[in-house]
Amino acid sequence: MGFDITTLASDWDVKILRALSAFRVVEKLQILKKKLGEGDFDALGEIRQTVLQLAAPPELVKELKTKMLSSGMPWPGDEGEQRWEQAWTAIKKVWASKWNERAYFSTRKAKLDHEYLCMAVLVQEVINADYAFVIHTTNPSSGDSSEIYAEVVKGLGETLVGAYPGRALSFICKKNNLSSPQVLGYPSKPIALFIRRSIIFRSDSNGEDLEGYAGAGLYDSVPMDEEEKVVVDYSCDPLLNDGKFQQSILSGIAGAGKAIEELYRSPQDIEGVIRDGKVYVVQTRPQM
């Protein structure tokens, strides 16, 4: 068997360059984290930009591709190198969000060592939702554990959990009477978000389940593709003007909340979406 010495040398060159690049990024991160520890909070933005310089190790790419395809998700690289780069950039943005200002100062306020927080990235296929919801299986306003509280918006849930103006539709529902949800507030959010079939990369940190520290929402979820912003008029939506439809959707949301709480045997903070009348749960975590 013969070997092409040029190809072998080229392969080694690539590996050495990758290693050097990774070393430089790690070295720069250590310098910046030291500056941050000394009170230079401008380092937060520099750290985020440095994380975005990370190159994907081939082993990670191979493993991620295998897991995504085995889960029935599309592999971005099958649509070309540019699509994979979009996905890799989105993953890095989630990691980088560990060092966003709100998250960093929240951990300081809670007297937590920021270095203790670890960030994983959940990879999920985006369902182009008709509605999105958040459930608290214990009413956070009253502390009533017999009562579910939830909020609903049109489209994707980023307008619900992100910094978008306006109110969501809010309602409560007794766990022993799921067929009778009670609307508390009507929606006023002017914008809804919709998206093509795509993938979203979501944060999952050990800061989201710590006792006495509600880290949910501090870190970023990044879709591979841009959402489409649509101006909405809730007055024309069946969620408001069709009583039977409203009761079906809200009861379905409450029923999902009750079932998940019973499964985990503790109050839950749940996110999910509605598509064609079906409830899809995106994630759940202990309610703080």
Side-chain angles (χ1 to χ4, degrees):
M1 181 182 293
F3 293 94
D4 183 340
I5 191 67
T6 304
T7 301
L8 287 173
S10 177
D11 288 344
W12 276 109
D13 287 345
V14 169
K15 290 178 181 179
I16 291 169
L17 286 171
R18 282 201 189 108
L20 286 172
S21 176
F23 176 77
R24 291 191 189 103
V25 170
V26 170
E27 189 176 42
K28 186 174 180 181
L29 283 172
Q30 294 301 329
I31 293 169
L32 290 170
K33 286 197 283 186
K34 184 179 179 182
K35 286 174 61 179
L36 182 61
E38 294 169 350
D40 183 354
F41 301 126
D42 289 338
L44 287 167
E46 294 181 72
I47 290 173
R48 292 196 298 272
Q49 289 302 314
T50 302
V51 170
L52 296 182
Q53 296 171 20
L54 287 168
E59 298 83 0
L60 183 149
V61 178
K62 182 180 178 181
E63 182 70 13
L64 184 58
K65 179 179 181 179
T66 300
K67 292 296 185 184
M68 288 178 68
L69 291 176
S70 67
S71 300
M73 282 190 280
W75 171 243
D78 289 342
E79 300 177 56
E81 185 63 24
Q82 184 179 1
R83 289 290 285 168
W84 160 244
E85 286 301 326
Q86 278 182 259
W88 177 236
T89 298
I91 291 169
K92 291 186 288 185
K93 284 181 177 179
V94 177
W95 281 331
S97 72
K98 175 183 173 179
W99 288 277
N100 76 59
E101 283 76 8
R102 182 165 169 255
Y104 181 77
F105 290 114
S106 292
T107 56
R108 281 170 58 92
K109 185 177 180 181
K111 294 182 171 58
L112 293 175
D113 183 355
H114 190 257
E115 286 298 303
Y116 171 75
L117 297 180
C118 300
M119 177 73 71
V121 180
L122 301 177
V123 184
Q124 296 177 318
E125 189 167 358
V126 176
I127 296 172
N128 194 10
D130 299 320
Y131 304 98
F133 59 82
V134 169
I135 306 169
H136 300 284
T137 60
T138 289
N139 188 328
S141 298
S142 63
D144 187 347
S145 61
S146 71
E147 195 169 75
I148 286 168
Y149 173 85
E151 295 184 343
V152 188
V153 295
K154 281 186 70 67
L156 299 173
E158 297 309 306
T159 61
L160 185 54
V161 299
Y164 285 81
R167 296 186 306 275
L169 182 146
S170 58
F171 73 95
I172 56 172
C173 190
K174 291 293 184 182
K175 294 172 186 173
N176 62 1
N177 189 12
L178 295 175
S179 62
S180 299
Q182 177 186 346
V183 175
L184 298 180
Y186 290 94
S188 63
K189 287 184 177 288
I191 297 294
L193 300 178
F194 298 93
I195 199 169
R196 55 171 276 187
R197 187 190 184 201
S198 186
I199 296 167
I200 190 167
F201 301 92
R202 304 173 64 94
S203 62
D204 186 27
S205 81
N206 59 344
E208 286 156 320
D209 299 321
L210 297 176
E211 185 176 354
Y213 174 59
L218 291 180
Y219 309 105
D220 292 345
S221 295
V222 184
M224 200 171 87
D225 295 287
E226 291 290 325
E227 303 102 332
E228 179 187 2
K229 291 185 178 182
V230 177
V231 177
V232 292
D233 181 0
Y234 278 92
S235 66
C236 302
D237 194 279
L239 192 61
L240 266 66
N241 58 34
D242 183 332
K244 186 176 179 181
F245 178 83
Q246 182 190 89
Q247 189 270 339
S248 172
I249 295 296
L250 302 190
S251 292
I253 291 171
K258 181 182 178 184
I260 292 169
E261 181 182 65
E262 289 175 349
L263 177 65
Y264 288 102
R265 300 181 181 179
S266 67
Q268 296 290 302
D269 178 350
I270 303 162
E271 295 179 25
V273 300
I274 304 288
R275 176 70 179 179
D276 297 329
K278 293 182 180 180
V279 176
Y280 296 85
V281 172
V282 175
Q283 67 179 25
T284 186
R285 60 171 65 90
Q287 182 177 333
M288 296 297 180

